[in-house]
Amino acid sequence: MSEKTEITTELALLGFLAVLWGASYTFIKIGVETIPPISFIAGRTLIAGCILLAIIRWRGLAMPRDALNWRRFMFQACLNSVIPFTLIAAAERSIDAGLATILNATSPIFTFLLTALITRHEPVTSRKLVGVGAGIAGICLIVGTGALDGIGHQLWAQLAVVAATICYAGAAIFGRNFKGLDPMVPAAGSMICGAAILIPLSLVFDRPWTLAPSSASILALLGLSIFSTALAFSIFFRLIHTLGSVGTTSQAYLRVPIGVGIGAVFLGESLGPAAWVGMGFVVAGVAAMTIPARRVRAIPGKA
């Protein structure tokens, strides 16, 4: 496979991941209407983990048996599922899914800042900095100030989503520790560890046997678990190793324009000129943060 084909494939997966995770906020909003957040996320991690384990077994792979990897799975679960999933699910009982999507789209900023100030595991280039700025500008143009009218109300819920976003940024960086493993292995391991933490909490606080969830909430849970979790995290761990942590989290910028595009196609919503310009900024920002710099070929006879 040529380098150009590989880049095209990875960018296509990045866009698909943005669709899967962009849809998750709607799934969550519907699900927590009749299922408490802890139980909802416990079900999400358990179902997704079981699906991933079944696929791993079908592919003839095996989960690691050493304690080091499982400790890493547990830590990744806290950063990538237990804490952020629960915070967002709880927050969406008070705020709109759209506002949660917008606030959560700041994950590349925190990933960039953590990389620049602490880990320094990836080069912090001026091009990535421009990409971050372009993505922010694009989101502001697309959503406009009206979409942020809710800021200031239900402040705890908004801060919970921001805290979840910081967790996602840390998870993207920590995910580098699973290099060498098939992407489905850390995805399954972190989901199973997440379920092991959340199920006991659900039993204690929610007493799930007393719940009467609606069919819409159950379908939302299944859609979230299968598509926006099991499938999405398999793609996520692959992209961490191919595009890097900053590049992978840049898909957050795509969630907003993808949502706008779906609304235009299926709901007849109209887009203003500023929205189209904003999408251009978003695409440019993602490209700046993900496409590798062109290699300079050495000139014969020169050092």
Side-chain angles (χ1 to χ4, degrees), residues 102 105 130-144 253-254 256-257 260 273-285:
I102 295 165
V130 170
V132 170
I136 295 172
I139 287 176
C140 291
L141 285 169
I142 292 169
V143 303
Y253 291 142
L254 293 173
V256 175
V260 172
W276 289 111
V277 175
M279 285 189 185
F281 273 99
V282 169
V283 172

mmCIF file of all heavy atoms in Angstrom, residues 102 105 130-144 253-254 256-257 260 273-285:
data_model
loop_
_atom_site.group_PDB
_atom_site.id
_atom_site.type_symbol
_atom_site.label_atom_id
_atom_site.label_comp_id
_atom_site.label_asym_id
_atom_site.label_seq_id
_atom_site.Cartn_x
_atom_site.Cartn_y
_atom_site.Cartn_z
ATOM 1 N N ILE A 102 -20.410 20.368 21.545
ATOM 2 C CA ILE A 102 -19.555 21.533 21.340
ATOM 3 C C ILE A 102 -18.467 21.605 22.408
ATOM 4 O O ILE A 102 -17.282 21.792 22.112
ATOM 5 C CB ILE A 102 -20.394 22.820 21.347
ATOM 6 C CG1 ILE A 102 -21.352 22.825 20.151
ATOM 7 C CG2 ILE A 102 -19.501 24.057 21.312
ATOM 8 C CD1 ILE A 102 -22.456 23.846 20.269
ATOM 9 N N ALA A 105 -15.832 19.029 21.992
ATOM 10 C CA ALA A 105 -15.001 19.183 20.800
ATOM 11 C C ALA A 105 -13.684 19.877 21.094
ATOM 12 O O ALA A 105 -12.838 20.011 20.210
ATOM 13 C CB ALA A 105 -15.765 19.961 19.730
ATOM 14 N N VAL A 130 -1.519 25.963 14.259
ATOM 15 C CA VAL A 130 -2.438 26.590 13.308
ATOM 16 C C VAL A 130 -3.696 25.732 13.149
ATOM 17 O O VAL A 130 -4.815 26.241 13.060
ATOM 18 C CB VAL A 130 -1.746 26.799 11.944
ATOM 19 C CG1 VAL A 130 -2.756 27.214 10.877
ATOM 20 C CG2 VAL A 130 -0.654 27.850 12.061
ATOM 21 N N GLY A 131 -3.520 24.391 13.122
ATOM 22 C CA GLY A 131 -4.656 23.482 13.013
ATOM 23 C C GLY A 131 -5.621 23.631 14.167
ATOM 24 O O GLY A 131 -6.847 23.635 13.982
ATOM 25 N N VAL A 132 -5.085 23.750 15.388
ATOM 26 C CA VAL A 132 -5.930 23.953 16.559
ATOM 27 C C VAL A 132 -6.730 25.245 16.411
ATOM 28 O O VAL A 132 -7.946 25.284 16.624
ATOM 29 C CB VAL A 132 -5.076 23.999 17.846
ATOM 30 C CG1 VAL A 132 -5.921 24.457 19.026
ATOM 31 C CG2 VAL A 132 -4.488 22.626 18.147
ATOM 32 N N GLY A 133 -6.043 26.323 16.024
ATOM 33 C CA GLY A 133 -6.721 27.611 15.858
ATOM 34 C C GLY A 133 -7.778 27.572 14.772
ATOM 35 O O GLY A 133 -8.883 28.131 14.939
ATOM 36 N N ALA A 134 -7.468 26.914 13.643
ATOM 37 C CA ALA A 134 -8.426 26.837 12.544
ATOM 38 C C ALA A 134 -9.661 26.045 12.953
ATOM 39 O O ALA A 134 -10.792 26.402 12.608
ATOM 40 C CB ALA A 134 -7.778 26.188 11.323
ATOM 41 N N GLY A 135 -9.461 24.962 13.700
ATOM 42 C CA GLY A 135 -10.589 24.161 14.154
ATOM 43 C C GLY A 135 -11.509 24.938 15.073
ATOM 44 O O GLY A 135 -12.737 24.873 14.956
ATOM 45 N N ILE A 136 -10.921 25.693 15.992
ATOM 46 C CA ILE A 136 -11.733 26.498 16.910
ATOM 47 C C ILE A 136 -12.518 27.555 16.138
ATOM 48 O O ILE A 136 -13.706 27.773 16.368
ATOM 49 C CB ILE A 136 -10.834 27.169 17.967
ATOM 50 C CG1 ILE A 136 -10.186 26.097 18.852
ATOM 51 C CG2 ILE A 136 -11.631 28.144 18.822
ATOM 52 C CD1 ILE A 136 -9.147 26.649 19.798
ATOM 53 N N ALA A 137 -11.825 28.223 15.192
ATOM 54 C CA ALA A 137 -12.493 29.252 14.391
ATOM 55 C C ALA A 137 -13.649 28.655 13.594
ATOM 56 O O ALA A 137 -14.730 29.253 13.490
ATOM 57 C CB ALA A 137 -11.480 29.909 13.448
ATOM 58 N N GLY A 138 -13.435 27.452 13.040
ATOM 59 C CA GLY A 138 -14.482 26.799 12.271
ATOM 60 C C GLY A 138 -15.695 26.480 13.102
ATOM 61 O O GLY A 138 -16.844 26.699 12.680
ATOM 62 N N ILE A 139 -15.484 25.959 14.298
ATOM 63 C CA ILE A 139 -16.602 25.625 15.180
ATOM 64 C C ILE A 139 -17.379 26.895 15.553
ATOM 65 O O ILE A 139 -18.609 26.914 15.549
ATOM 66 C CB ILE A 139 -16.090 24.912 16.447
ATOM 67 C CG1 ILE A 139 -15.661 23.481 16.103
ATOM 68 C CG2 ILE A 139 -17.174 24.859 17.520
ATOM 69 C CD1 ILE A 139 -15.059 22.727 17.255
ATOM 70 N N CYS A 140 -16.662 27.974 15.844
ATOM 71 C CA CYS A 140 -17.344 29.224 16.193
ATOM 72 C C CYS A 140 -18.196 29.734 15.033
ATOM 73 O O CYS A 140 -19.312 30.219 15.235
ATOM 74 C CB CYS A 140 -16.311 30.280 16.587
ATOM 75 S SG CYS A 140 -15.479 29.950 18.148
ATOM 76 N N LEU A 141 -17.683 29.613 13.822
ATOM 77 C CA LEU A 141 -18.437 30.067 12.656
ATOM 78 C C LEU A 141 -19.673 29.205 12.414
ATOM 79 O O LEU A 141 -20.731 29.700 12.031
ATOM 80 C CB LEU A 141 -17.537 30.044 11.415
ATOM 81 C CG LEU A 141 -16.504 31.173 11.310
ATOM 82 C CD1 LEU A 141 -15.511 30.874 10.197
ATOM 83 C CD2 LEU A 141 -17.197 32.506 11.061
ATOM 84 N N ILE A 142 -19.535 27.882 12.620
ATOM 85 C CA ILE A 142 -20.642 26.965 12.347
ATOM 86 C C ILE A 142 -21.770 27.125 13.355
ATOM 87 O O ILE A 142 -22.935 27.272 13.002
ATOM 88 C CB ILE A 142 -20.146 25.509 12.334
ATOM 89 C CG1 ILE A 142 -19.235 25.285 11.123
ATOM 90 C CG2 ILE A 142 -21.321 24.536 12.278
ATOM 91 C CD1 ILE A 142 -18.504 23.968 11.167
ATOM 92 N N VAL A 143 -21.420 27.078 14.635
ATOM 93 C CA VAL A 143 -22.470 27.070 15.654
ATOM 94 C C VAL A 143 -22.963 28.469 15.981
ATOM 95 O O VAL A 143 -24.100 28.649 16.419
ATOM 96 C CB VAL A 143 -21.989 26.367 16.941
ATOM 97 C CG1 VAL A 143 -21.543 24.961 16.643
ATOM 98 C CG2 VAL A 143 -20.868 27.142 17.618
ATOM 99 N N GLY A 144 -22.103 29.466 15.787
ATOM 100 C CA GLY A 144 -22.499 30.827 16.129
ATOM 101 C C GLY A 144 -22.634 31.005 17.631
ATOM 102 O O GLY A 144 -22.511 30.053 18.403
ATOM 103 N N TYR A 253 -13.269 18.021 16.014
ATOM 104 C CA TYR A 253 -13.699 19.154 15.214
ATOM 105 C C TYR A 253 -14.711 18.735 14.148
ATOM 106 O O TYR A 253 -15.527 19.537 13.711
ATOM 107 C CB TYR A 253 -12.503 19.798 14.516
ATOM 108 C CG TYR A 253 -11.543 20.498 15.444
ATOM 109 C CD1 TYR A 253 -10.172 20.440 15.231
ATOM 110 C CD2 TYR A 253 -12.006 21.215 16.532
ATOM 111 C CE1 TYR A 253 -9.288 21.085 16.067
ATOM 112 C CE2 TYR A 253 -11.132 21.865 17.381
ATOM 113 C CZ TYR A 253 -9.766 21.807 17.146
ATOM 114 O OH TYR A 253 -8.898 22.441 17.970
ATOM 115 N N LEU A 254 -14.629 17.484 13.697
ATOM 116 C CA LEU A 254 -15.508 17.027 12.636
ATOM 117 C C LEU A 254 -16.920 16.716 13.131
ATOM 118 O O LEU A 254 -17.848 16.641 12.336
ATOM 119 C CB LEU A 254 -14.919 15.779 11.969
ATOM 120 C CG LEU A 254 -13.623 15.971 11.183
ATOM 121 C CD1 LEU A 254 -13.072 14.619 10.735
ATOM 122 C CD2 LEU A 254 -13.844 16.864 9.984
ATOM 123 N N VAL A 256 -19.052 18.478 14.849
ATOM 124 C CA VAL A 256 -20.015 19.564 14.647
ATOM 125 C C VAL A 256 -20.423 19.700 13.180
ATOM 126 O O VAL A 256 -21.615 19.686 12.868
ATOM 127 C CB VAL A 256 -19.463 20.893 15.206
ATOM 128 C CG1 VAL A 256 -20.420 22.031 14.887
ATOM 129 C CG2 VAL A 256 -19.253 20.785 16.715
ATOM 130 N N PRO A 257 -19.481 19.836 12.231
ATOM 131 C CA PRO A 257 -19.925 19.950 10.833
ATOM 132 C C PRO A 257 -20.655 18.724 10.325
ATOM 133 O O PRO A 257 -21.549 18.839 9.483
ATOM 134 C CB PRO A 257 -18.620 20.187 10.056
ATOM 135 C CG PRO A 257 -17.537 19.734 10.947
ATOM 136 C CD PRO A 257 -18.020 19.984 12.339
ATOM 137 N N VAL A 260 -24.163 19.103 11.449
ATOM 138 C CA VAL A 260 -24.837 20.119 10.638
ATOM 139 C C VAL A 260 -25.199 19.551 9.272
ATOM 140 O O VAL A 260 -26.294 19.763 8.751
ATOM 141 C CB VAL A 260 -23.931 21.358 10.477
ATOM 142 C CG1 VAL A 260 -24.529 22.339 9.465
ATOM 143 C CG2 VAL A 260 -23.744 22.047 11.825
ATOM 144 N N PRO A 273 -23.911 31.105 4.887
ATOM 145 C CA PRO A 273 -22.546 31.228 4.347
ATOM 146 C C PRO A 273 -21.462 31.017 5.401
ATOM 147 O O PRO A 273 -20.430 30.406 5.135
ATOM 148 C CB PRO A 273 -22.524 32.665 3.800
ATOM 149 C CG PRO A 273 -23.948 33.005 3.554
ATOM 150 C CD PRO A 273 -24.731 32.291 4.598
ATOM 151 N N ALA A 274 -21.702 31.524 6.615
ATOM 152 C CA ALA A 274 -20.701 31.381 7.676
ATOM 153 C C ALA A 274 -20.460 29.918 8.009
ATOM 154 O O ALA A 274 -19.329 29.511 8.322
ATOM 155 C CB ALA A 274 -21.152 32.128 8.930
ATOM 156 N N ALA A 275 -21.525 29.099 7.935
ATOM 157 C CA ALA A 275 -21.368 27.671 8.237
ATOM 158 C C ALA A 275 -20.499 26.984 7.202
ATOM 159 O O ALA A 275 -19.658 26.149 7.539
ATOM 160 C CB ALA A 275 -22.743 27.007 8.297
ATOM 161 N N TRP A 276 -20.689 27.329 5.927
ATOM 162 C CA TRP A 276 -19.863 26.717 4.886
ATOM 163 C C TRP A 276 -18.401 27.128 5.032
ATOM 164 O O TRP A 276 -17.495 26.307 4.882
ATOM 165 C CB TRP A 276 -20.385 27.118 3.499
ATOM 166 C CG TRP A 276 -21.688 26.461 3.149
ATOM 167 C CD1 TRP A 276 -22.897 27.064 3.039
ATOM 168 C CD2 TRP A 276 -21.907 25.079 2.877
ATOM 169 N NE1 TRP A 276 -23.868 26.148 2.721
ATOM 170 C CE2 TRP A 276 -23.295 24.915 2.609
ATOM 171 C CE3 TRP A 276 -21.077 23.953 2.848
ATOM 172 C CZ2 TRP A 276 -23.859 23.682 2.311
ATOM 173 C CZ3 TRP A 276 -21.643 22.718 2.547
ATOM 174 C CH2 TRP A 276 -23.011 22.594 2.281
ATOM 175 N N VAL A 277 -18.180 28.405 5.359
ATOM 176 C CA VAL A 277 -16.803 28.861 5.584
ATOM 177 C C VAL A 277 -16.212 28.150 6.796
ATOM 178 O O VAL A 277 -15.045 27.738 6.798
ATOM 179 C CB VAL A 277 -16.775 30.395 5.792
ATOM 180 C CG1 VAL A 277 -15.368 30.860 6.151
ATOM 181 C CG2 VAL A 277 -17.261 31.110 4.535
ATOM 182 N N GLY A 278 -17.042 27.986 7.829
ATOM 183 C CA GLY A 278 -16.576 27.288 9.028
ATOM 184 C C GLY A 278 -16.160 25.867 8.750
ATOM 185 O O GLY A 278 -15.153 25.381 9.270
ATOM 186 N N MET A 279 -16.923 25.163 7.908
ATOM 187 C CA MET A 279 -16.546 23.799 7.554
ATOM 188 C C MET A 279 -15.188 23.778 6.854
ATOM 189 O O MET A 279 -14.378 22.870 7.065
ATOM 190 C CB MET A 279 -17.602 23.171 6.649
ATOM 191 C CG MET A 279 -18.865 22.764 7.354
ATOM 192 S SD MET A 279 -19.951 21.805 6.280
ATOM 193 C CE MET A 279 -21.360 21.626 7.351
ATOM 194 N N GLY A 280 -14.925 24.793 6.025
ATOM 195 C CA GLY A 280 -13.630 24.881 5.368
ATOM 196 C C GLY A 280 -12.501 25.028 6.373
ATOM 197 O O GLY A 280 -11.450 24.382 6.243
ATOM 198 N N PHE A 281 -12.729 25.843 7.413
ATOM 199 C CA PHE A 281 -11.724 26.001 8.463
ATOM 200 C C PHE A 281 -11.500 24.686 9.211
ATOM 201 O O PHE A 281 -10.371 24.325 9.552
ATOM 202 C CB PHE A 281 -12.172 27.084 9.461
ATOM 203 C CG PHE A 281 -11.773 28.470 9.077
ATOM 204 C CD1 PHE A 281 -12.678 29.320 8.458
ATOM 205 C CD2 PHE A 281 -10.494 28.936 9.320
ATOM 206 C CE1 PHE A 281 -12.324 30.603 8.090
ATOM 207 C CE2 PHE A 281 -10.121 30.219 8.961
ATOM 208 C CZ PHE A 281 -11.035 31.062 8.337
ATOM 209 N N VAL A 282 -12.588 23.972 9.479
ATOM 210 C CA VAL A 282 -12.478 22.705 10.201
ATOM 211 C C VAL A 282 -11.665 21.695 9.405
ATOM 212 O O VAL A 282 -10.749 21.055 9.926
ATOM 213 C CB VAL A 282 -13.879 22.139 10.518
ATOM 214 C CG1 VAL A 282 -13.777 20.710 11.016
ATOM 215 C CG2 VAL A 282 -14.567 23.012 11.555
ATOM 216 N N VAL A 283 -11.988 21.543 8.126
ATOM 217 C CA VAL A 283 -11.261 20.594 7.285
ATOM 218 C C VAL A 283 -9.785 20.979 7.205
ATOM 219 O O VAL A 283 -8.898 20.132 7.300
ATOM 220 C CB VAL A 283 -11.883 20.540 5.872
ATOM 221 C CG1 VAL A 283 -11.009 19.704 4.939
ATOM 222 C CG2 VAL A 283 -13.283 19.951 5.946
ATOM 223 N N ALA A 284 -9.508 22.283 7.063
ATOM 224 C CA ALA A 284 -8.124 22.738 7.001
ATOM 225 C C ALA A 284 -7.393 22.449 8.314
ATOM 226 O O ALA A 284 -6.228 22.038 8.322
ATOM 227 C CB ALA A 284 -8.082 24.230 6.692
ATOM 228 N N GLY A 285 -8.089 22.660 9.432
ATOM 229 C CA GLY A 285 -7.477 22.396 10.726
ATOM 230 C C GLY A 285 -7.144 20.938 10.930
ATOM 231 O O GLY A 285 -6.067 20.583 11.408
#
